[in-house]
Amino acid sequence: MSTTKDIAAKPVGELAIQTLAMPRDTNANGDIFGGWLVSQMDLAAGILTKKVAKGRSATVAIKNVNFLQPVSVGSTVSCYAQITHRGRSSLHIAVEVWISNLSTDNTIKKVADGLFVFVAIGDDGNPRPLPD
Ligand SMILES: CC(C)(COP(=O)(O)OP(=O)(O)OC[C@H]1O[C@@H](n2cnc3c(N)ncnc32)[C@H](O)[C@@H]1OP(=O)(O)O)[C@@H](O)C(=O)NCCC(=O)NCCS
């Protein structure tokens, strides 16, 4: 997972979520609130986890989240997710967030990344082994 601001680099992982940054999601500076972005990243990691865990799962840790550039209202926000480690019941998922403003140009830039740890859980809420 790179934290560089290399505009020429491409997203790593599969596109898990694409949405639009809305005015209701802004902070006091008028830019998008970091907590909203983390929530989108968590959802993206959760979607990838569902494909593998085939059942209930929960976020157990969010590590090393970096906000690299501000996000403006109206940006298209794309979250890419990739499994970097598979344990007995846990998955480590690297998430990258890239933005574009499709109404003005076609360039994309990376604005955030982080590592999300999910655990497959059973009906009792305890960890269960990941399926083969
Ligand atoms: C997820 C939960 C069931 C795990 O319970 P636990 O007693 O910590 O389970 P374990 O210690 O057996 O760990 C289970 C797995 O998670 C991993 N894990 C636990 N805490 C971790 C952490 N902070 N960072 C990375 N991995 C972690 C363990 O290494 C283990 O991995 P493995 O099975 O692949 O080897 C429990 O912590 C929980 O319910 N947390 C709340 C989850 C939640 O509600 N999330 C939503 C946000 S509020």
Side-chain angles (χ1 to χ4, degrees), residues 60-121:
V60 75
I62 298 178
K63 302 185 177 189
N64 199 26
V65 174
N66 301 288
F67 300 105
L68 308 173
Q69 297 196 36
V71 176
S72 307
V73 169
S75 300
T76 299
V77 176
S78 305
C79 297
Y80 294 83
Q82 183 188 43
I83 296 170
T84 58
H85 171 77
R86 183 187 166 119
R88 180 180 170 276
S89 68
S90 67
L91 289 172
H92 290 206
I93 299 182
V95 179
E96 294 186 357
V97 185
W98 291 69
I99 60 165
S100 55
N101 193 328
L102 298 177
S103 55
T104 55
D105 61 56
N106 281 325
T107 60
I108 58 171
K109 61 183 174 184
K110 184 172 161 183
V111 294
D113 57 25
L115 181 71
F116 290 70
V117 184
F118 274 73
V119 177
I121 53 175

Short mmCIF file of all heavy atoms in Angstrom, two decimals, residues 60-121:
data_model
loop_
_atom_site.label_atom_id
_atom_site.label_comp_id
_atom_site.label_asym_id
_atom_site.label_seq_id
_atom_site.Cartn_x
_atom_site.Cartn_y
_atom_site.Cartn_z
N VAL A 60 -12.75 -5.36 13.17
CA VAL A 60 -12.13 -5.46 14.49
C VAL A 60 -11.04 -4.40 14.69
O VAL A 60 -10.74 -4.03 15.83
CB VAL A 60 -11.58 -6.89 14.74
CG1 VAL A 60 -10.30 -7.14 13.97
CG2 VAL A 60 -11.38 -7.15 16.22
N ALA A 61 -10.49 -3.89 13.58
CA ALA A 61 -9.46 -2.84 13.70
C ALA A 61 -9.38 -2.02 12.42
O ALA A 61 -9.60 -2.54 11.33
CB ALA A 61 -8.10 -3.46 14.01
N ILE A 62 -9.10 -0.75 12.61
CA ILE A 62 -8.81 0.16 11.49
C ILE A 62 -7.44 0.73 11.77
O ILE A 62 -7.22 1.33 12.83
CB ILE A 62 -9.87 1.28 11.37
CG1 ILE A 62 -11.25 0.69 11.10
CG2 ILE A 62 -9.48 2.27 10.29
CD1 ILE A 62 -12.37 1.71 11.01
N LYS A 63 -6.51 0.49 10.85
CA LYS A 63 -5.11 0.85 11.12
C LYS A 63 -4.56 1.78 10.05
O LYS A 63 -4.86 1.62 8.86
CB LYS A 63 -4.25 -0.41 11.18
CG LYS A 63 -4.71 -1.40 12.23
CD LYS A 63 -3.76 -2.57 12.33
CE LYS A 63 -4.22 -3.50 13.45
NZ LYS A 63 -3.25 -4.54 13.74
N ASN A 64 -3.72 2.68 10.51
CA ASN A 64 -2.88 3.45 9.60
C ASN A 64 -3.66 4.13 8.48
O ASN A 64 -3.34 4.00 7.30
CB ASN A 64 -1.82 2.50 9.00
CG ASN A 64 -0.64 3.27 8.43
OD1 ASN A 64 -0.36 4.39 8.86
ND2 ASN A 64 0.04 2.69 7.46
N VAL A 65 -4.69 4.87 8.84
CA VAL A 65 -5.44 5.62 7.83
C VAL A 65 -4.71 6.94 7.55
O VAL A 65 -4.33 7.66 8.48
CB VAL A 65 -6.88 5.91 8.30
CG1 VAL A 65 -7.59 6.82 7.31
CG2 VAL A 65 -7.65 4.60 8.45
N ASN A 66 -4.48 7.20 6.29
CA ASN A 66 -3.79 8.43 5.87
C ASN A 66 -4.71 9.24 4.97
O ASN A 66 -5.27 8.70 4.01
CB ASN A 66 -2.53 8.08 5.08
CG ASN A 66 -1.57 7.23 5.88
OD1 ASN A 66 -0.94 7.71 6.80
ND2 ASN A 66 -1.49 5.95 5.53
N PHE A 67 -4.85 10.51 5.31
CA PHE A 67 -5.60 11.43 4.45
C PHE A 67 -4.56 12.25 3.69
O PHE A 67 -3.81 13.02 4.30
CB PHE A 67 -6.52 12.33 5.26
CG PHE A 67 -7.55 11.55 6.04
CD1 PHE A 67 -7.43 11.39 7.41
CD2 PHE A 67 -8.63 10.96 5.39
CE1 PHE A 67 -8.37 10.66 8.12
CE2 PHE A 67 -9.58 10.23 6.10
CZ PHE A 67 -9.44 10.07 7.46
N LEU A 68 -4.49 12.06 2.39
CA LEU A 68 -3.40 12.61 1.60
C LEU A 68 -3.73 13.97 0.99
O LEU A 68 -2.86 14.82 0.85
CB LEU A 68 -3.01 11.63 0.49
CG LEU A 68 -2.73 10.19 0.98
CD1 LEU A 68 -2.54 9.26 -0.19
CD2 LEU A 68 -1.53 10.18 1.90
N GLN A 69 -5.00 14.13 0.62
CA GLN A 69 -5.43 15.39 0.00
C GLN A 69 -6.89 15.64 0.36
O GLN A 69 -7.64 14.68 0.58
CB GLN A 69 -5.32 15.31 -1.53
CG GLN A 69 -3.91 15.11 -2.04
CD GLN A 69 -3.78 15.42 -3.52
OE1 GLN A 69 -4.44 16.33 -4.03
NE2 GLN A 69 -2.94 14.68 -4.20
N PRO A 70 -7.30 16.92 0.42
CA PRO A 70 -8.72 17.19 0.71
C PRO A 70 -9.63 16.72 -0.41
O PRO A 70 -9.21 16.63 -1.57
CB PRO A 70 -8.78 18.71 0.87
CG PRO A 70 -7.57 19.23 0.17
CD PRO A 70 -6.53 18.15 0.22
N VAL A 71 -10.88 16.44 -0.04
CA VAL A 71 -11.89 16.01 -1.02
C VAL A 71 -12.95 17.09 -1.11
O VAL A 71 -13.48 17.53 -0.09
CB VAL A 71 -12.54 14.68 -0.58
CG1 VAL A 71 -13.64 14.26 -1.54
CG2 VAL A 71 -11.48 13.58 -0.46
N SER A 72 -13.25 17.52 -2.33
CA SER A 72 -14.25 18.58 -2.52
C SER A 72 -15.63 18.00 -2.77
O SER A 72 -15.76 16.90 -3.33
CB SER A 72 -13.88 19.45 -3.73
OG SER A 72 -12.57 19.91 -3.60
N VAL A 73 -16.64 18.79 -2.38
CA VAL A 73 -18.03 18.44 -2.71
C VAL A 73 -18.15 18.28 -4.23
O VAL A 73 -17.58 19.06 -4.98
CB VAL A 73 -18.99 19.54 -2.22
CG1 VAL A 73 -20.39 19.33 -2.77
CG2 VAL A 73 -19.00 19.59 -0.70
N GLY A 74 -18.86 17.24 -4.64
CA GLY A 74 -19.06 17.00 -6.07
C GLY A 74 -18.07 16.01 -6.66
O GLY A 74 -18.23 15.58 -7.80
N SER A 75 -17.04 15.64 -5.87
CA SER A 75 -16.07 14.65 -6.36
C SER A 75 -16.72 13.28 -6.42
O SER A 75 -17.54 12.93 -5.56
CB SER A 75 -14.86 14.55 -5.43
OG SER A 75 -14.19 15.78 -5.32
N THR A 76 -16.34 12.52 -7.42
CA THR A 76 -16.69 11.10 -7.44
C THR A 76 -15.65 10.37 -6.59
O THR A 76 -14.45 10.53 -6.81
CB THR A 76 -16.68 10.55 -8.88
OG1 THR A 76 -17.65 11.27 -9.63
CG2 THR A 76 -17.01 9.08 -8.91
N VAL A 77 -16.12 9.65 -5.60
CA VAL A 77 -15.24 8.98 -4.64
C VAL A 77 -15.27 7.48 -4.89
O VAL A 77 -16.34 6.87 -4.84
CB VAL A 77 -15.70 9.30 -3.19
CG1 VAL A 77 -14.87 8.55 -2.17
CG2 VAL A 77 -15.66 10.81 -2.94
N SER A 78 -14.11 6.91 -5.19
CA SER A 78 -14.02 5.48 -5.50
C SER A 78 -13.12 4.80 -4.50
O SER A 78 -11.98 5.23 -4.28
CB SER A 78 -13.45 5.28 -6.91
OG SER A 78 -14.20 6.00 -7.86
N CYS A 79 -13.63 3.73 -3.88
CA CYS A 79 -12.85 2.97 -2.90
C CYS A 79 -12.45 1.63 -3.50
O CYS A 79 -13.31 0.86 -3.95
CB CYS A 79 -13.66 2.73 -1.63
SG CYS A 79 -14.12 4.24 -0.77
N TYR A 80 -11.14 1.38 -3.50
CA TYR A 80 -10.59 0.13 -4.03
C TYR A 80 -10.10 -0.71 -2.86
O TYR A 80 -9.47 -0.17 -1.93
CB TYR A 80 -9.43 0.42 -4.99
CG TYR A 80 -9.88 1.14 -6.24
CD1 TYR A 80 -10.05 2.53 -6.23
CD2 TYR A 80 -10.16 0.44 -7.40
CE1 TYR A 80 -10.48 3.20 -7.37
CE2 TYR A 80 -10.59 1.10 -8.55
CZ TYR A 80 -10.74 2.47 -8.53
OH TYR A 80 -11.17 3.13 -9.65
N ALA A 81 -10.37 -2.00 -2.89
CA ALA A 81 -10.03 -2.86 -1.76
C ALA A 81 -9.27 -4.09 -2.24
O ALA A 81 -9.56 -4.63 -3.32
CB ALA A 81 -11.29 -3.27 -1.02
N GLN A 82 -8.29 -4.49 -1.41
CA GLN A 82 -7.47 -5.66 -1.76
C GLN A 82 -7.13 -6.43 -0.48
O GLN A 82 -6.69 -5.82 0.51
CB GLN A 82 -6.17 -5.21 -2.44
CG GLN A 82 -5.31 -6.35 -2.89
CD GLN A 82 -3.95 -5.88 -3.39
OE1 GLN A 82 -3.33 -5.01 -2.76
NE2 GLN A 82 -3.49 -6.42 -4.49
N ILE A 83 -7.29 -7.74 -0.51
CA ILE A 83 -6.90 -8.56 0.65
C ILE A 83 -5.38 -8.67 0.68
O ILE A 83 -4.76 -9.07 -0.31
CB ILE A 83 -7.55 -9.96 0.56
CG1 ILE A 83 -9.07 -9.83 0.63
CG2 ILE A 83 -7.04 -10.87 1.68
CD1 ILE A 83 -9.84 -11.10 0.32
N THR A 84 -4.80 -8.32 1.83
CA THR A 84 -3.34 -8.41 1.95
C THR A 84 -2.92 -9.53 2.89
O THR A 84 -1.75 -9.90 2.92
CB THR A 84 -2.75 -7.07 2.45
OG1 THR A 84 -3.34 -6.75 3.72
CG2 THR A 84 -3.00 -5.95 1.48
N HIS A 85 -3.86 -10.03 3.70
CA HIS A 85 -3.54 -11.14 4.61
C HIS A 85 -4.82 -11.87 4.94
O HIS A 85 -5.85 -11.25 5.19
CB HIS A 85 -2.88 -10.62 5.90
CG HIS A 85 -2.72 -11.67 6.94
ND1 HIS A 85 -1.73 -12.63 6.90
CD2 HIS A 85 -3.45 -11.94 8.06
CE1 HIS A 85 -1.85 -13.43 7.95
NE2 HIS A 85 -2.87 -13.04 8.67
N ARG A 86 -4.72 -13.20 4.92
CA ARG A 86 -5.86 -14.04 5.29
C ARG A 86 -5.43 -14.91 6.45
O ARG A 86 -4.48 -15.69 6.35
CB ARG A 86 -6.23 -14.91 4.08
CG ARG A 86 -7.43 -15.77 4.30
CD ARG A 86 -7.61 -16.73 3.11
NE ARG A 86 -8.57 -17.74 3.52
CZ ARG A 86 -9.74 -17.95 2.93
NH1 ARG A 86 -10.08 -17.27 1.90
NH2 ARG A 86 -10.55 -18.87 3.38
N GLY A 87 -6.11 -14.76 7.59
CA GLY A 87 -5.79 -15.57 8.76
C GLY A 87 -6.82 -16.68 8.92
O GLY A 87 -7.50 -17.06 7.97
N ARG A 88 -6.94 -17.18 10.14
CA ARG A 88 -7.92 -18.25 10.40
C ARG A 88 -9.34 -17.69 10.28
O ARG A 88 -10.18 -18.25 9.57
CB ARG A 88 -7.68 -18.83 11.80
CG ARG A 88 -8.63 -19.93 12.18
CD ARG A 88 -8.35 -20.49 13.57
NE ARG A 88 -9.43 -21.38 13.98
CZ ARG A 88 -10.57 -20.99 14.54
NH1 ARG A 88 -10.78 -19.71 14.78
NH2 ARG A 88 -11.49 -21.87 14.88
N SER A 89 -9.59 -16.59 10.99
CA SER A 89 -10.92 -15.97 10.93
C SER A 89 -10.87 -14.53 10.44
O SER A 89 -11.90 -13.92 10.21
CB SER A 89 -11.57 -15.98 12.33
OG SER A 89 -10.88 -15.11 13.21
N SER A 90 -9.67 -14.00 10.26
CA SER A 90 -9.55 -12.56 9.95
C SER A 90 -9.01 -12.31 8.54
O SER A 90 -8.29 -13.14 7.97
CB SER A 90 -8.63 -11.88 10.97
OG SER A 90 -7.32 -12.35 10.84
N LEU A 91 -9.38 -11.15 8.03
CA LEU A 91 -8.87 -10.68 6.74
C LEU A 91 -8.33 -9.28 6.93
O LEU A 91 -8.97 -8.44 7.57
CB LEU A 91 -10.00 -10.60 5.72
CG LEU A 91 -10.59 -11.90 5.18
CD1 LEU A 91 -11.82 -11.58 4.32
CD2 LEU A 91 -9.56 -12.66 4.36
N HIS A 92 -7.13 -9.04 6.39
CA HIS A 92 -6.59 -7.67 6.35
C HIS A 92 -6.87 -7.13 4.96
O HIS A 92 -6.51 -7.76 3.97
CB HIS A 92 -5.09 -7.67 6.60
CG HIS A 92 -4.72 -8.04 8.00
ND1 HIS A 92 -3.55 -7.62 8.59
CD2 HIS A 92 -5.37 -8.75 8.95
CE1 HIS A 92 -3.49 -8.07 9.83
NE2 HIS A 92 -4.58 -8.77 10.07
N ILE A 93 -7.51 -5.96 4.91
CA ILE A 93 -7.90 -5.40 3.62
C ILE A 93 -7.36 -3.98 3.48
O ILE A 93 -7.69 -3.10 4.28
CB ILE A 93 -9.44 -5.41 3.47
CG1 ILE A 93 -9.90 -6.87 3.55
CG2 ILE A 93 -9.86 -4.75 2.18
CD1 ILE A 93 -11.34 -7.08 3.38
N ALA A 94 -6.50 -3.82 2.48
CA ALA A 94 -5.96 -2.49 2.18
C ALA A 94 -6.99 -1.75 1.32
O ALA A 94 -7.47 -2.29 0.32
CB ALA A 94 -4.64 -2.61 1.44
N VAL A 95 -7.30 -0.54 1.73
CA VAL A 95 -8.29 0.26 0.98
C VAL A 95 -7.63 1.55 0.52
O VAL A 95 -6.93 2.22 1.30
CB VAL A 95 -9.53 0.58 1.84
CG1 VAL A 95 -10.54 1.42 1.06
CG2 VAL A 95 -10.20 -0.70 2.33
N GLU A 96 -7.85 1.87 -0.73
CA GLU A 96 -7.40 3.15 -1.29
C GLU A 96 -8.62 3.94 -1.75
O GLU A 96 -9.56 3.36 -2.30
CB GLU A 96 -6.49 2.93 -2.50
CG GLU A 96 -5.18 2.25 -2.17
CD GLU A 96 -4.25 2.19 -3.37
OE1 GLU A 96 -4.64 2.61 -4.49
OE2 GLU A 96 -3.13 1.71 -3.21
N VAL A 97 -8.59 5.25 -1.54
CA VAL A 97 -9.67 6.12 -2.02
C VAL A 97 -9.11 7.05 -3.09
O VAL A 97 -8.07 7.71 -2.87
CB VAL A 97 -10.27 6.97 -0.88
CG1 VAL A 97 -11.48 7.76 -1.40
CG2 VAL A 97 -10.66 6.10 0.29
N TRP A 98 -9.77 7.04 -4.21
CA TRP A 98 -9.38 7.91 -5.33
C TRP A 98 -10.56 8.79 -5.69
O TRP A 98 -11.71 8.36 -5.59
CB TRP A 98 -8.98 7.06 -6.55
CG TRP A 98 -7.69 6.30 -6.35
CD1 TRP A 98 -7.47 5.25 -5.51
CD2 TRP A 98 -6.46 6.56 -7.01
NE1 TRP A 98 -6.17 4.83 -5.61
CE2 TRP A 98 -5.51 5.62 -6.52
CE3 TRP A 98 -6.03 7.49 -7.97
CZ2 TRP A 98 -4.19 5.58 -6.95
CZ3 TRP A 98 -4.70 7.44 -8.40
CH2 TRP A 98 -3.80 6.51 -7.89
N ILE A 99 -10.28 10.02 -6.10
CA ILE A 99 -11.38 10.90 -6.52
C ILE A 99 -11.18 11.39 -7.94
O ILE A 99 -10.05 11.44 -8.46
CB ILE A 99 -11.54 12.13 -5.58
CG1 ILE A 99 -10.28 12.99 -5.56
CG2 ILE A 99 -11.96 11.70 -4.19
CD1 ILE A 99 -10.51 14.36 -4.96
N SER A 100 -12.28 11.77 -8.53
CA SER A 100 -12.26 12.41 -9.84
C SER A 100 -13.43 13.38 -9.88
O SER A 100 -14.36 13.28 -9.07
CB SER A 100 -12.39 11.37 -10.95
OG SER A 100 -13.55 10.61 -10.75
N ASN A 101 -13.33 14.33 -10.77
CA ASN A 101 -14.48 15.20 -11.00
C ASN A 101 -14.89 15.01 -12.45
O ASN A 101 -14.33 15.64 -13.34
CB ASN A 101 -14.14 16.66 -10.71
CG ASN A 101 -15.41 17.49 -10.65
OD1 ASN A 101 -16.37 17.18 -11.35
ND2 ASN A 101 -15.44 18.50 -9.81
N LEU A 102 -15.83 14.08 -12.65
CA LEU A 102 -16.14 13.62 -13.99
C LEU A 102 -16.75 14.72 -14.86
O LEU A 102 -16.72 14.63 -16.08
CB LEU A 102 -17.09 12.41 -13.92
CG LEU A 102 -16.49 11.20 -13.20
CD1 LEU A 102 -17.51 10.08 -13.10
CD2 LEU A 102 -15.24 10.71 -13.89
N SER A 103 -17.26 15.79 -14.23
CA SER A 103 -17.86 16.85 -15.05
C SER A 103 -16.81 17.81 -15.58
O SER A 103 -17.07 18.57 -16.51
CB SER A 103 -18.91 17.62 -14.24
OG SER A 103 -18.34 18.09 -13.06
N THR A 104 -15.58 17.79 -15.02
CA THR A 104 -14.56 18.72 -15.49
C THR A 104 -13.41 18.04 -16.22
O THR A 104 -12.89 18.56 -17.20
CB THR A 104 -13.98 19.54 -14.33
OG1 THR A 104 -13.49 18.63 -13.33
CG2 THR A 104 -15.02 20.45 -13.71
N ASP A 105 -12.99 16.88 -15.74
CA ASP A 105 -11.90 16.17 -16.42
C ASP A 105 -11.94 14.69 -16.06
O ASP A 105 -12.76 14.25 -15.27
CB ASP A 105 -10.53 16.77 -16.06
CG ASP A 105 -10.24 16.66 -14.57
OD1 ASP A 105 -10.28 15.55 -14.05
OD2 ASP A 105 -9.97 17.70 -13.94
N ASN A 106 -11.01 13.94 -16.65
CA ASN A 106 -11.00 12.49 -16.42
C ASN A 106 -9.84 12.04 -15.55
O ASN A 106 -9.60 10.85 -15.44
CB ASN A 106 -10.92 11.76 -17.77
CG ASN A 106 -12.28 11.73 -18.44
OD1 ASN A 106 -13.30 11.62 -17.77
ND2 ASN A 106 -12.28 11.86 -19.75
N THR A 107 -9.12 12.99 -14.93
CA THR A 107 -7.98 12.57 -14.10
C THR A 107 -8.48 12.06 -12.75
O THR A 107 -9.54 12.48 -12.26
CB THR A 107 -7.00 13.74 -13.87
OG1 THR A 107 -7.71 14.78 -13.19
CG2 THR A 107 -6.42 14.23 -15.17
N ILE A 108 -7.71 11.15 -12.18
CA ILE A 108 -8.05 10.65 -10.85
C ILE A 108 -6.86 10.87 -9.93
O ILE A 108 -5.71 10.91 -10.38
CB ILE A 108 -8.45 9.16 -10.87
CG1 ILE A 108 -7.33 8.29 -11.44
CG2 ILE A 108 -9.72 8.96 -11.66
CD1 ILE A 108 -7.58 6.81 -11.29
N LYS A 109 -7.12 11.07 -8.65
CA LYS A 109 -6.01 11.19 -7.70
C LYS A 109 -6.35 10.47 -6.40
O LYS A 109 -7.52 10.42 -5.98
CB LYS A 109 -5.62 12.64 -7.45
CG LYS A 109 -6.69 13.51 -6.88
CD LYS A 109 -6.18 14.93 -6.76
CE LYS A 109 -7.32 15.84 -6.30
NZ LYS A 109 -6.96 17.24 -6.25
N LYS A 110 -5.28 9.93 -5.79
CA LYS A 110 -5.46 9.20 -4.54
C LYS A 110 -5.55 10.19 -3.39
O LYS A 110 -4.71 11.10 -3.28
CB LYS A 110 -4.26 8.26 -4.36
CG LYS A 110 -4.36 7.37 -3.15
CD LYS A 110 -3.20 6.38 -3.22
CE LYS A 110 -2.93 5.76 -1.89
NZ LYS A 110 -1.77 4.86 -1.97
N VAL A 111 -6.56 10.02 -2.53
CA VAL A 111 -6.75 10.97 -1.44
C VAL A 111 -6.62 10.33 -0.05
O VAL A 111 -6.48 11.03 0.94
CB VAL A 111 -8.11 11.70 -1.54
CG1 VAL A 111 -8.13 12.59 -2.79
CG2 VAL A 111 -9.27 10.72 -1.56
N ALA A 112 -6.71 9.01 0.02
CA ALA A 112 -6.62 8.35 1.33
C ALA A 112 -6.30 6.88 1.15
O ALA A 112 -6.56 6.30 0.09
CB ALA A 112 -7.93 8.51 2.11
N ASP A 113 -5.73 6.29 2.19
CA ASP A 113 -5.59 4.84 2.23
C ASP A 113 -5.59 4.38 3.68
O ASP A 113 -5.48 5.20 4.61
CB ASP A 113 -4.36 4.34 1.45
CG ASP A 113 -3.06 4.95 1.92
OD1 ASP A 113 -2.98 5.36 3.08
OD2 ASP A 113 -2.10 4.99 1.14
N GLY A 114 -5.72 3.08 3.86
CA GLY A 114 -5.75 2.54 5.23
C GLY A 114 -5.90 1.03 5.21
O GLY A 114 -6.17 0.44 4.15
N LEU A 115 -5.72 0.44 6.38
CA LEU A 115 -5.83 -1.01 6.50
C LEU A 115 -7.00 -1.35 7.43
O LEU A 115 -7.09 -0.83 8.56
CB LEU A 115 -4.53 -1.59 7.08
CG LEU A 115 -4.52 -3.10 7.23
CD1 LEU A 115 -4.45 -3.77 5.85
CD2 LEU A 115 -3.34 -3.55 8.07
N PHE A 116 -7.88 -2.21 6.95
CA PHE A 116 -9.07 -2.60 7.71
C PHE A 116 -9.00 -4.09 8.01
O PHE A 116 -8.72 -4.88 7.10
CB PHE A 116 -10.34 -2.26 6.90
CG PHE A 116 -10.57 -0.78 6.79
CD1 PHE A 116 -9.74 0.01 6.01
CD2 PHE A 116 -11.58 -0.18 7.50
CE1 PHE A 116 -9.91 1.39 5.95
CE2 PHE A 116 -11.78 1.20 7.44
CZ PHE A 116 -10.93 1.98 6.66
N VAL A 117 -9.22 -4.44 9.27
CA VAL A 117 -9.18 -5.85 9.66
C VAL A 117 -10.61 -6.28 9.99
O VAL A 117 -11.28 -5.67 10.83
CB VAL A 117 -8.26 -6.09 10.88
CG1 VAL A 117 -8.19 -7.58 11.19
CG2 VAL A 117 -6.86 -5.52 10.63
N PHE A 118 -11.05 -7.32 9.29
CA PHE A 118 -12.39 -7.89 9.51
C PHE A 118 -12.26 -9.28 10.08
O PHE A 118 -11.31 -10.00 9.76
CB PHE A 118 -13.17 -7.94 8.19
CG PHE A 118 -13.90 -6.67 7.88
CD1 PHE A 118 -13.22 -5.54 7.47
CD2 PHE A 118 -15.28 -6.60 8.00
CE1 PHE A 118 -13.89 -4.36 7.19
CE2 PHE A 118 -15.97 -5.42 7.73
CZ PHE A 118 -15.27 -4.30 7.32
N VAL A 119 -13.23 -9.66 10.90
CA VAL A 119 -13.27 -11.01 11.45
C VAL A 119 -14.62 -11.64 11.07
O VAL A 119 -15.67 -11.01 11.24
CB VAL A 119 -13.12 -10.99 12.99
CG1 VAL A 119 -13.24 -12.39 13.56
CG2 VAL A 119 -11.77 -10.39 13.37
N ALA A 120 -14.54 -12.87 10.55
CA ALA A 120 -15.77 -13.62 10.29
C ALA A 120 -16.33 -14.07 11.63
O ALA A 120 -15.59 -14.58 12.48
CB ALA A 120 -15.46 -14.83 9.41
N ILE A 121 -17.62 -13.82 11.84
CA ILE A 121 -18.23 -14.20 13.12
C ILE A 121 -19.46 -15.08 12.88
O ILE A 121 -20.14 -14.96 11.86
CB ILE A 121 -18.62 -12.96 13.98
CG1 ILE A 121 -19.48 -11.99 13.18
CG2 ILE A 121 -17.39 -12.28 14.54
CD1 ILE A 121 -19.99 -10.82 14.01
#
